[in-house]
Amino acid sequence: TQVLRKGLQRGIVLSTGSFLVYEAHKLISGFAEVHASFKVEDVIEQADYLYGSGETEKLYRLLVQHKNSDDAELLWRLARSSRDLAQLGSTSAEEKRQLTYDSLEYAKKALEKNESNFAAHKWYGICLSDVGDYEGIKTKIGNAIVIKEHFQRAIELNPKDATTIHLIGIWCYSFAEMPWYQRKIAATLFATPPTSTFQEALRYFHMAEEADPNFYSKNLLFLGKTYLKLNNKKMALLWLSKAKEYPVQTEEDKQV
């Protein structure tokens, strides 16, 4: 009886100890999850500040540390950052190519983590288009429908995102001015090749401007260019003047 009593007491102590260890584990795990959540939010906040400040290289160095993250918000920002770094004049041709392919992988991973993230769709479309520049006109045209589908999905998820609306305008403009030999390639790839008009492109550029006035120097530039294609020099001059006067904040603004 005494042995049994001691055994039961020992069992109770062990059970209590196991329970306390289990509860401590739960508490620590919960804290770790909350801490991780705060950490992601902190990184995103810092990343958005650096992006707004035009600190392209610092932003990339911050985000590339999180390339194995499961958070779509971090991953699409890393895709954007990789692409922005590739666009810098100081980036070598070899680095530019690597960054271009990396950005597509990050955007693809962001989509896999959260298919309902509008920015993941947007940046996947952008990065897929960029990769086409390295893989030839046939691949670029072949990807065109997929790219547009991702832009349209991004707009469905966020109808007020002016940049995505602008990108569909660029897509329309590109197909409207496509030379005859590229049209022949498109005809071999699709039963019904994608087509567009400058009028359709113009409509999207104006929609983008309505969604967020003066948001992007390139949208102003393409409003001017599209009006030129439509032989409306008065309206072309208006928008090209706005593009010319746009405050330069990024490398792309300088190019515009």
Side-chain angles (χ1 to χ4, degrees):
T1 306
Q2 196 173 0
V3 171
L4 181 61
R5 191 184 302 117
K6 283 185 178 178
L8 284 169
Q9 286 173 342
R10 186 166 175 268
I12 290 166
V13 169
L14 282 171
S15 298
T16 306
S18 299
F19 175 76
L20 289 172
V21 169
Y22 173 69
E23 286 300 307
H25 173 72
K26 276 200 336 185
L27 185 64
I28 291 165
S29 298
F31 174 76
E33 285 174 17
V34 171
H35 180 69
S37 171
F38 277 121
K39 186 178 179 184
V40 167
E41 289 173 9
D42 289 345
V43 173
I44 288 171
E45 185 177 351
Q46 191 178 350
D48 289 348
Y49 173 78
L50 290 171
Y51 181 75
S53 304
E55 296 280 2
T56 305
E57 293 176 16
K58 284 183 183 176
L59 175 59
Y60 176 77
R61 286 198 298 270
L62 169 70
L63 290 174
V64 78
Q65 299 174 67
H66 305 279
K67 64 182 180 181
N68 296 319
S69 171
D70 289 333
D71 193 285
E73 289 291 330
L74 279 177
L75 289 166
W76 74 253
R77 282 173 170 82
L78 176 55
R80 179 183 66 182
S81 172
S82 303
R83 183 181 186 270
D84 285 348
L85 188 59
Q87 302 292 318
L88 292 181
S90 57
T91 304
S92 70
E94 188 179 339
E95 289 172 323
K96 181 181 173 74
R97 180 187 174 92
Q98 186 60 55
L99 285 164
T100 300
Y101 279 89
D102 286 348
S103 65
L104 179 61
E105 284 305 307
Y106 300 140
K108 182 180 178 182
K109 191 177 173 185
L111 266 182
E112 288 168 357
K113 298 301 176 186
N114 186 356
E115 196 277 335
S116 297
N117 188 301
F118 91 92
H121 282 281
K122 175 169 77 172
W123 287 99
Y124 183 79
I126 292 169
C127 296
L128 184 60
S129 178
D130 288 346
V131 164
D133 293 337
Y134 289 99
E135 301 196 347
I137 192 65
K138 191 171 181 179
T139 299
K140 197 166 181 71
I141 294 172
N143 288 337
I145 289 178
V146 176
I147 290 166
K148 190 177 184 183
E149 283 172 353
H150 280 284
F151 289 159
Q152 288 173 327
R153 177 66 177 140
I155 290 174
E156 285 172 15
L157 292 166
N158 185 1
K160 294 186 177 180
D161 185 60
T163 311
T164 313
I165 301 168
H166 163 83
L167 289 167
I168 295 187
I170 293 287
W171 191 97
C172 295
Y173 186 98
S174 300
F175 274 91
E177 73 163 0
M178 183 179 281
W180 66 269
Y181 66 90
Q182 291 184 10
R183 291 185 190 280
K184 288 193 77 172
I185 294 171
T188 66
L189 295 172
F190 303 103
T192 307
T195 59
S196 191
T197 64
F198 291 117
Q199 286 87 350
E200 188 178 11
L202 186 69
R203 183 168 63 86
Y204 279 108
F205 294 140
H206 273 298
M207 282 170 61
E209 207 60 32
E210 287 164 15
D212 190 359
N214 214 41
F215 75 104
Y216 189 26
S217 58
K218 200 170 181 181
N219 198 61
L220 303 175
L221 174 67
F222 269 87
L223 275 161
K225 288 179 72 170
T226 310
Y227 272 116
L228 271 179
K229 292 287 187 183
L230 296 170
N231 295 314
N232 188 333
K233 291 184 180 179
K234 183 180 178 182
M235 290 301 292
L237 181 61
L238 170 69
W239 290 104
L240 291 172
S241 296
K242 288 185 178 186
K244 184 173 178 291
E245 292 158 10
Y246 195 88
V248 174
Q249 293 176 319
T250 67
E251 188 69 24
E252 192 171 42
D253 292 333
K254 292 177 189 176
Q255 294 169 5
V256 165

